[in-house]
Amino acid sequence: GLLPHPDMESFGAIGTVLGCSAGIAVGGLVFAACKLGLLYQLFHKTETKSPRHGGESVAEVLRAHGVKYVFTLVGGHISPILVACEKLGIRIVDTRHEATAVFAADAVARLSGTVGIAAVTAGPGLTNTVTAVKNAQMAESPLLLMGGAAGTLLQGRGALQDIDQMSLFKPLCKFCASIRTIREIVPTVRKALAIAQSGTPGPVFIEFPIDTLYPYHLVSKEFGVKNPPKGLMGKIVSWYLNNHLMNLFAGAWETRDMSPLPVDIPQATDDQVQKCIELVSRAKKPVILLGSQATLPPTPADDIRNALEDLGIPCFLGGMSRGMLGKDSPIHIRQNRRDALKEADVVLLAGTVCDFRLSYGRVLNRRSKIIAVNRDKSQLMKNSDMFWKPTIAIQGDAGSFLVRLSNGLKGHRCPEEWPQSLKAGDMTKENANRAKADEKTERHLNPLKVLHCVDELMAEDSIIVADGGDFVGSAAYIMRPRGPMRWLDPGSPCMNLMLHFGAFQVWIVYGDGSLGYSVAEFDTFTRHKTPVIAVVGNDACWSQISREQVPILGSNVACGLAFTDYHIVTDGYGGKGYLVGREDEDRLSDIISQAQRETQEGKATLLNVLIGKTNFREGSISV
């Protein structure tokens, strides 16, 4: 009688508490079962006797997406991917530096319109690619980087080459993923390839822990418990490791869809295109600035070229769009861009960004009507409302926009006196540059004369790869790509080598500074029978830096190099090298023609051209 008598309400409250607790416990158990893969293993078999491995899944997806090349520097973490790709007919191209592998994949992406593929080993193999991946991001190249990693249970425990790779690449890539089970490989690779091409193209990264790539019998031997501790804790550890292994391979070889996922490409609306048609139709002095983004799929380069020719609007071409109008188009203007922009009443920025190359937009006339088209919103509006303001801003694909604009302006052409006047100014500047090429330098050869000679002798199917500073800066004014997709440069942030494998004559224009980064790739050219012709402007100096450092700061410190025998280095790597100096001036054309014959016979060649100083591009800055 001393204790209170519980009523029904109290029993209800106790039942509710117990019910909630039971629900939480059950939920926790279900969550743990999912995390440990126990539920998945109930319905999906682990084939412990299968000799298959995760590298095969990677290779099958790549083949289904039409991948023809994988660029690499070999490492044990990624060997299964390379071996499986080779078995399926995908060519493995092994380079002498991981950065080169990524630059090469970047080049293939730009030229083929597909995703470039690179695979490198864990740790330092991946860190060596950072500059090249950042370059692909800034150049908007669709690229898949696959990297090895420590085993899934060993990450963060001090395993060989184990570092936090995901943190490195998240700021550089549109998509990053770490494979945790083999069944994830196919859907993850498909997703990554689609993301790389969608919207604004760019690099993606997938990390493959080593135990997701090798077959079951090897993984179980390496990661299984050899001498489990005794007692309850030992049994728990053994069970956990065995379950992890079974879950790793559960459902690994079930049939999965390998086909490409849809790619999302933003497009201008019909209303936006119509407004631009009306604006351009009233223009008297329109100008088009075409950037690399205009060459992206899905619109073929020839369709864009036809659209530009139908419009008849004078065009300035930059980056990958160089060569879009061929060698001698009447609407391709190469010189005096700043002056043309001052006069223009309508300016169309087709994939061109208002960054340092356009003085952040300050070169645009504030009275001009400006149409800006770009897939990337941040690039579309870069520095707007500070130095410039778009009249019409379109987040969409530049290439397809130009075709639609041209179709909407059928029968209308830009007034011919406008491109003719700009072309006349072009010819005046070109003639002045030609005259400067005939001047004698204090020592060695005039670099402008060398570049003019190369330009005149290049085959019509030539691809020009520009890799350097001062010498390449001059080449951009003088060398004329013969058609669309015939010019590759690294983009704004860095200089290094890119490879292309095909039936074209490939010219690499090097500065002697930039060559030092990648001269070892002549071994790659030789082993893979890639007959390139390299022209090295050797002035024994980092001239692009010295050009401003000396007059501003009064010192040439760290800018000086040596007139190194790069031609002998080339011979040592199995290529053919030529030393070209002032005494060879009269037979310069013959030497270049001989190098072309060597490449026709399958030999990579290098012309080590000793050049002097000129005042061409005087005042240009590199910061």
Side-chain angles (χ1 to χ4, degrees):
L2 297 176
L3 295 175
H5 184 74
D7 55 23
M8 294 303 294
E9 186 175 331
S10 300
F11 280 121
I14 293 170
T16 300
V17 171
L18 292 175
C20 289
S21 300
I24 292 171
V26 170
L29 289 172
V30 172
F31 177 77
C34 290
K35 290 291 287 183
L36 293 169
L38 296 174
L39 295 180
Y40 187 87
Q41 291 177 60
L42 288 175
F43 303 99
H44 301 273
K45 184 179 178 183
T46 300
E47 300 179 31
T48 60
K49 303 298 184 183
S50 174
R52 296 192 62 185
H53 57 78
E56 295 174 358
S57 298
V58 176
E60 288 167 358
V61 178
L62 296 183
R63 181 178 64 175
H65 285 70
V67 171
K68 292 182 171 58
Y69 307 106
V70 171
F71 297 91
T72 191
L73 197 158
V74 71
H77 288 82
I78 58 165
S79 290
I81 294 176
L82 307 181
V83 172
C85 285
E86 182 189 41
K87 286 182 179 179
L88 293 184
I90 298 172
R91 183 174 176 181
I92 302 299
V93 183
D94 55 312
T95 65
R96 297 301 297 267
H97 196 285
E98 289 89 354
T100 306
V102 176
F103 280 118
D106 182 346
V108 166
R110 299 190 205 187
L111 291 171
S112 68
T114 59
V115 181
I117 311 294
V120 300
T121 198
L126 270 162
T127 59
N128 279 347
T129 70
V130 167
T131 296
V133 173
K134 182 63 182 180
N135 190 74
Q137 181 193 47
M138 297 188 74
E140 300 174 348
S141 293
L143 179 128
L144 168 60
L145 174 64
M146 299 182 289
T152 50
L153 287 180
L154 297 178
Q155 292 181 355
R157 298 178 181 274
L160 176 67
Q161 298 179 340
D162 179 27
I163 61 173
D164 182 3
Q165 299 173 160
M166 300 296 284
S167 294
L168 281 175
F169 289 95
K170 281 180 180 177
L172 306 177
C173 297
K174 298 178 64 181
F175 170 78
C176 291
S178 181
I179 300 297
R180 311 318 291 174
T181 64
I182 297 169
R183 59 182 176 268
E184 297 173 18
I185 291 177
V186 171
T188 304
V189 176
R190 291 177 72 212
K191 180 179 179 180
L193 291 168
I195 291 174
Q197 300 171 85
S198 293
T200 304
V204 293
F205 170 61
I206 303 178
E207 176 185 80
F208 291 88
I210 193 169
D211 50 348
T212 66
L213 291 178
Y214 280 84
Y216 181 92
H217 70 279
L218 288 179
V219 175
S220 62
K221 181 180 178 181
E222 186 66 26
F223 294 99
V225 181
K226 298 176 178 61
N227 297 301
K230 296 179 180 180
L232 178 61
M233 184 55 66
K235 291 179 181 179
I236 292 173
V237 170
S238 296
W239 175 87
Y240 177 80
L241 293 176
N242 182 67
N243 176 74
H244 181 82
L245 180 64
M246 297 298 284
N247 183 52
L248 191 67
F249 284 84
W253 317 125
E254 294 175 1
T255 301
R256 288 182 171 84
D257 186 2
M258 306 277 181
S259 62
L261 293 169
V263 174
D264 178 30
I265 299 175
Q267 299 288 352
T269 66
D270 290 340
D271 183 57
Q272 288 172 327
V273 174
Q274 183 57 39
K275 288 179 180 177
C276 294
I277 289 171
E278 294 169 6
L279 204 59
V280 173
S281 68
R282 296 192 294 268
K284 302 299 181 184
K285 295 182 176 181
V287 167
I288 295 176
L289 271 58
L290 204 67
S292 296
Q293 202 182 89
T295 66
L296 292 173
T299 308
D302 286 340
D303 290 357
I304 299 171
R305 177 177 180 170
N306 292 336
L308 294 172
E309 290 174 344
D310 287 344
L311 289 168
I313 298 173
C315 299
F316 291 90
L317 310 178
M320 279 292 293
S321 74
R322 294 176 188 268
M324 180 65 73
L325 294 167
K327 182 180 177 182
D328 295 307
S329 170
I331 62 169
H332 178 200
I333 314 300
R334 294 164 56 88
Q335 312 287 346
N336 306 313
R337 184 179 68 179
R338 185 181 291 266
D339 293 338
L341 291 173
K342 286 180 181 178
E343 291 190 60
D345 54 3
V346 171
V347 177
L348 172 52
L349 304 176
T352 297
V353 181
C354 287
D355 57 14
F356 73 95
R357 286 163 287 197
L358 285 180
S359 190
Y360 310 101
R362 285 178 291 198
V363 297
L364 299 173
N365 188 334
R366 288 188 176 273
R367 293 188 299 274
S368 300
K369 303 294 184 182
I370 300 172
I371 301 168
V373 187
N374 199 294
R375 293 193 190 188
D376 188 316
K377 186 175 181 180
S378 65
Q379 298 299 308
L380 173 68
M381 304 301 291
K382 189 174 286 293
N383 298 308
S384 64
D385 297 321
M386 182 178 294
F387 299 119
W388 72 288
K389 187 176 182 67
T391 308
I392 302 174
I394 300 170
Q395 185 177 357
D397 176 58
S400 56
F401 169 81
L402 288 169
V403 172
R404 292 166 67 189
L405 180 68
S406 176
N407 290 338
L409 286 165
K410 284 294 183 188
H412 173 85
R413 279 182 66 84
C414 169
E416 290 190 4
E417 59 272 14
W418 170 236
Q420 288 172 357
S421 68
L422 294 180
K423 198 67 176 179
D426 223 31
M427 295 305 299
T428 300
K429 193 73 173 283
E430 295 276 358
N431 291 336
N433 290 344
R434 175 71 69 171
K436 192 170 284 293
D438 293 331
E439 296 174 359
K440 283 287 185 183
T441 51
E442 185 177 339
R443 60 191 299 211
H444 302 311
L445 290 169
N446 185 319
L448 306 182
K449 182 170 185 176
V450 174
L451 291 167
H452 274 294
C453 190
V454 170
D455 183 62
E456 289 164 3
L457 294 173
M458 276 196 316
E460 287 300 307
D461 65 355
S462 292
I463 292 176
I464 303 167
V465 182
D467 180 24
D470 196 67
F471 189 59
V472 167
S474 298
Y477 283 90
I478 293 169
M479 299 183 72
R480 294 166 292 175
R482 304 322 197 223
M485 318 301 282
R486 294 286 190 271
W487 175 280
L488 290 90
D489 57 33
S492 57
C494 65
M495 309 290 173
N496 210 301
L497 173 67
M498 294 178 286
L499 308 172
H500 173 67
F501 293 83
F504 303 98
Q505 190 176 97
V506 180
W507 292 80
I508 307 178
V509 183
Y510 283 111
D512 56 329
S514 67
L515 176 65
Y517 287 111
S518 51
V519 68
E521 299 305 338
F522 273 85
D523 170 71
T524 306
F525 298 146
T526 298
R527 287 184 295 105
H528 290 279
K529 298 179 173 57
T530 307
V532 303
I533 309 176
V535 181
V536 184
N538 187 353
D539 59 1
C541 184
W542 296 96
S543 291
Q544 186 148 312
I545 308 304
S546 179
R547 178 190 296 281
E548 64 189 74
Q549 181 175 305
V550 172
I552 295 175
L553 299 174
S555 172
N556 199 47
V557 62
C559 294
L561 295 170
F563 286 105
T564 301
D565 291 331
Y566 298 113
H567 54 292
I568 297 178
V569 177
T570 303
D571 289 340
Y573 280 122
K576 175 62 178 176
Y578 296 87
L579 177 63
V580 186
R582 176 167 282 179
E583 65 276 11
D584 304 302
E585 186 168 8
D586 292 339
R587 59 190 193 95
L588 183 58
S589 294
D590 293 335
I591 295 172
I592 294 172
S593 296
Q594 176 60 33
Q596 289 176 301
R597 288 191 290 271
E598 292 279 358
T599 62
Q600 289 170 359
E601 295 170 7
K603 203 128 185 136
T605 63
L606 180 144
L607 303 176
N608 185 16
V609 184
L610 306 182
I611 59 172
K613 307 290 186 181
T614 74
N615 62 359
F616 187 64
R617 297 177 62 242
E618 191 170 60
S620 64
I621 62 172
S622 56
V623 292

